Amino acid sequence: MFDSSATASGDGIPDMPILAVLLTLMVFLAPNSLCAKEFRFDYQKILQTGREAELDLTYVSGNLEVISTDGDRVIIEAVKKVNAVSMDEAEMVADHIEIKVLHDKKKVKVVTNYLQMRNRSQSFWQKVLGVGGSDSFGEVDWRVQVPQGCRISICNTSGAVSISHIEGNVDIRSSSADIQLLSVEGDVNVEAAAGTTVGELLFGSVTVRQAQGRIDLKFVEGDIRIKAASADIEVHQDRGSIDLSTTTGDARVQTNLDSSRDYFFETETGNLSVTIPETSSGNIRIESQTGDIQTDMPIAIKSMNRRQLEGSFGSGGVKVSLISISGDVTIAQF
């Protein structure tokens, strides 16, 4: 039995004798954790939906790939991945990962449920070392083939999401995901707390609400709306308006200014850089409380002081507003 004077220091942190015993036990039990390996369990479902399908997929973690086909079916292929010390344990965990598919004509709803496992006898140290336990669960990787005109709704906690060559609206909600969108003809809506959102060849309106991470949109033909906190943002837009707001992240935007609607860019401490064609026209307003204001284009100035500039370029027209509190603001031409 340990002397009570040696169990903990005054600040509540165990002294060295206790730490040594804990480390010895962890080393002794480590081989059990090294015996754990990944087991995979395949799942497949083929559903006749017609070309105007709707897919609603909800899961916790794992990677997802959605691609289009020329057919009129939704093909769901999934792999349950479980880390366990034996096949028996892996099968037990996999059996408690329920893939539930509801199909009603063109609508397909997929929900992944993690059922509670009861009456499992696992030691405290196995749980500490990440092996087994009543709270064990695996993750599911997905590959889903859908008709080109399919409407897609995804909800997950984490994992990579890839959607390509879709002619329908896409809605993604995630806590933390790396999202990749390629060649989507439809409206896109992304809501994420963190992660990376990358889109290329997007034909439709794009809305991204993402607190942290990175947002990179290229070759967009549609209105863009971005609301972020500390995400770094880069946008290359061919057509449409822009409404962009961020707090600390930097924003770099190139747009053809091809819209009758106004353009609005706002940041607090991040730097803001906007590039437009030298043949474009519009009215401009630039504000920065403490940051620098730089222009690389001819502007007919209406009013100017140390913090604000207003004027027009070309023959005037659409309104372009660039506002920052302490970040630098730059407007240039290409």
Side-chain angles (χ1 to χ4, degrees), residues 2 24 51 53 72 140 157 174 178 187 191 205 217 274 293 318 329:
F2 290 105
T24 300
R51 300 190 66 84
D72 56 1
V140 183
T157 301
S174 177
D178 291 332
D187 295 338
E191 295 187 19
S205 66
L217 306 176
V274 177
I293 296 176
V318 66
V329 179

Side-chain angles (χ1 to χ4, degrees), residues 92-106:
M92 184 180 297
V93 175
D95 288 343
H96 286 75
I97 303 175
E98 178 189 52
I99 297 176
K100 190 173 183 179
V101 178
L102 303 176
H103 178 210
D104 181 13
K105 298 180 181 179
K106 68 177 183 178

Side-chain angles (χ1 to χ4, degrees), residues 57-100:
L57 173 59
T58 300
Y59 64 102
V60 178
S61 63
N63 298 327
L64 166 66
E65 179 186 17
V66 182
I67 61 174
S68 66
T69 66
D70 293 330
D72 56 1
R73 300 179 301 173
V74 171
I75 302 175
I76 303 169
E77 297 173 304
V79 178
K80 301 177 185 179
K81 300 191 302 183
V82 176
N83 288 320
V85 297
S86 67
M87 175 59 78
D88 289 342
E89 181 178 61
E91 288 178 345
M92 184 180 297
V93 175
D95 288 343
H96 286 75
I97 303 175
E98 178 189 52
I99 297 176
K100 190 173 183 179

Side-chain angles (χ1 to χ4, degrees), residues 41 51 55 64 67 70 95 104 108 112 126 137 152 157 162 164 176 207 209 225 272 275 283 296 313 321 334:
F41 302 87
R51 300 190 66 84
L55 172 67
L64 166 66
I67 61 174
D70 293 330
D95 288 343
D104 181 13
V108 177
T112 309
Q126 283 180 310
F137 67 91
I152 297 172
T157 301
S162 173
S164 60
S176 177
T207 300
R209 298 178 180 88
R225 186 168 185 244
L272 178 60
T275 308
N283 296 302
D296 185 22
F313 54 96
S321 300
F334 66 90

Side-chain angles (χ1 to χ4, degrees), residues 1 15 27 38 56 88 114 122 136 161 242 246 252 268 271 275 283 287 306 311 331-332:
M1 183 172 182
D15 285 336
V27 170
E38 183 181 86
D56 186 338
D88 289 342
Y114 286 84
Q122 296 293 335
S136 297
V161 176
I242 299 179
T246 185
R252 296 170 295 278
E268 292 187 12
N271 297 324
T275 308
N283 296 302
E287 291 183 23
R306 186 171 60 86
I331 181 78

Side-chain angles (χ1 to χ4, degrees), residues 223-227 241-245 262-265:
D223 296 337
I224 296 175
R225 186 168 185 244
I226 297 175
K227 300 297 179 183
S241 65
I242 299 179
D243 181 353
L244 184 154
S245 176
D262 293 343
Y263 290 74
F264 181 81
F265 308 89

Side-chain angles (χ1 to χ4, degrees), residues 149-171:
C150 184
R151 298 168 61 94
I152 297 172
S153 178
I154 306 298
C155 181
N156 79 343
T157 301
S158 63
V161 176
S162 173
I163 299 177
S164 60
H165 301 92
I166 299 296
E167 296 178 2
N169 295 341
V170 176
D171 185 272

